[in-house]
Amino acid sequence: MKRKSPNRKPPKAVAAAPEMTAADAVVATLVGHGIDTLYALPGLQNDPLFDALFRFSDRLRTIHTRHEQGAAYMALGAALATGKPAAYAVVPGPGFLNSAAALLTAYSMNAPVLALIGQIPHDDIGRGLGHLHEIRDQTGIIKRLVDHTARIARPQDASRATAAALRAMQTGRPGPAALECAIDVWGRSAPATIAKPLPIPTAKIDTAAIRRAAKRLGVAKRPMIICGGGAQDAAVEVTALSAMLQAPVLGFRRGRGVLDSRDPLSVVLPLGRDLWGEADVVLAVGTRLLWPIQHWGIDRDLAIIRVDADPKEHNRLHRGARK
C-alpha cells in the first residue's frame, strides 16, 4: 500500500534583495539610523552619491557649504549639540584634507562624526597615475585621524560597512569614523539588504570596584568631583552625588554645565586648583585629568577614582594603585 505523503505547505518564497547602487545603500542606511541631514560639498568623485541624496531628499536633507572645512565643522557642531551621530561628505585629496582639522577635532572631543570621503577609480588606488585629487595613501592618513575607517569595495557591502561605522562611533569612547568609496563604486548596482542598527556592546560593570569607590568616597573628608566631556550624559547622577557628598564639582572645558553653574557647589578653574590641593579623594568622570595631573601635581595623600569609557586612560598619565 502506497503511503500518503503528509500535507506540507510549500515553502514561502524569499523576496530577493532589491538592486541598488552603493550610494543608495549608504544613504538608505543613514536614514535608517536616524540621520536626517548631511553636510557636503559636491565634486565629481561623489556625483553618484549626490544622485542618491536627491532620490532620498524627502527623508534626508543635504546642506551644501562653500568649503569642505565648513561641512565637517557643521557636522561636528551638530554632533556636539545633539549628542547624536552626524555626517558629512567630501571629495578625496584636497577635499578630504580641507576637512581633516574638523575630523581631528571630532576625535579629540569624542564627537560621533561620520566622514564620507570619495576616492579615485577603485583599481587605480595606490598606483600613482595622477588622477584628479589623488594623494598617496589617503587611507593611511585617515587612519591617523580616526579609530574606525573602511573602504567600500562593492555595493552589496555598502550598507553593512555604514552600519558598522555608525556602531563603532558609539562603542567605548565615542568618536568619529570614516568611509571611503571610489568614484566607480558609488554608482555600481547589486542586490543589497539595508542593515539595521547594529547592537552597541555595553561595558562590563565591575561591581567590586564600584563598592570600593563608594566606600572611599563615603569616608572622604574633602571629596572633589571633576567632570570632562565624557560626563555630558551623567548630569543627573553627578548632581545627586555632589549634593549627597557636598562635594564641589569642577567642570573642565566640555564638562562645564554637567553640574548647573548656578549650583553653589559648581566651581571654576582657579578655585578648582585650590580645592585640588586640599582634596583627599577626587572622582574624575569622563576626563583625562591632563591639566590637573601635569600642572597641579599629585601626592600619596590624594586618591583618584576614575570613571572613563576607555580603560587605557586610567594609567596613561599616572599609574594608580588598586585598593
Side-chain angles (χ1 to χ4, degrees), residues 194-323:
I194 302 303
K196 296 180 179 179
L198 300 172
I200 297 173
T202 55
K204 293 182 178 179
I205 303 299
D206 187 339
T207 54
I210 293 175
R211 291 192 187 97
R212 293 195 299 270
K215 184 176 180 180
R216 178 60 72 91
L217 287 168
V219 298
K221 296 179 179 179
R222 295 177 301 278
M224 179 183 181
I225 301 173
I226 299 182
C227 294
Q232 285 289 329
D233 294 331
V236 173
E237 292 82 0
V238 168
T239 301
L241 186 60
S242 172
M244 181 188 302
L245 300 174
Q246 286 298 287
V249 177
L250 170 63
F252 190 69
R253 292 179 178 166
R254 287 187 61 230
R256 223 31 215 151
V258 171
L259 178 66
D260 192 322
S261 297
R262 296 167 294 185
D263 191 300
L265 289 171
S266 174
V267 300
V268 293
L269 200 61
L271 179 55
R273 165 66 181 88
D274 295 336
L275 293 172
W276 173 275
E278 299 173 358
D280 55 351
V281 179
V282 168
L283 174 64
V285 185
T287 173
R288 292 184 173 92
L289 283 183
L290 176 64
W291 186 271
I293 289 179
Q294 287 197 335
H295 296 271
W296 299 346
I298 54 177
D299 55 43
R300 64 178 60 190
D301 296 325
L302 176 62
I304 299 177
I305 300 170
R306 305 191 64 160
V307 180
D308 200 288
D310 185 357
K312 295 180 181 178
E313 287 296 335
H314 295 296
N315 297 315
R316 194 182 298 278
L317 287 168
H318 170 73
R319 184 169 294 279
R322 186 179 183 275
K323 295 182 179 179

Side-chain angles (χ1 to χ4, degrees), residues 156-168:
Q156 53 266 48
D157 300 331
S159 181
R160 183 76 180 184
T162 306
L166 289 165
R167 176 177 61 178

Side-chain angles (χ1 to χ4, degrees), residues 136-158:
R136 288 184 295 175
D137 194 18
Q138 174 172 284
T139 303
I141 298 172
I142 297 171
K143 287 181 178 179
R144 288 165 174 79
L145 302 179
V146 299
D147 284 332
H148 181 94
T149 181
R151 183 186 298 155
I152 299 171
R154 306 182 306 165
Q156 53 266 48
D157 300 331

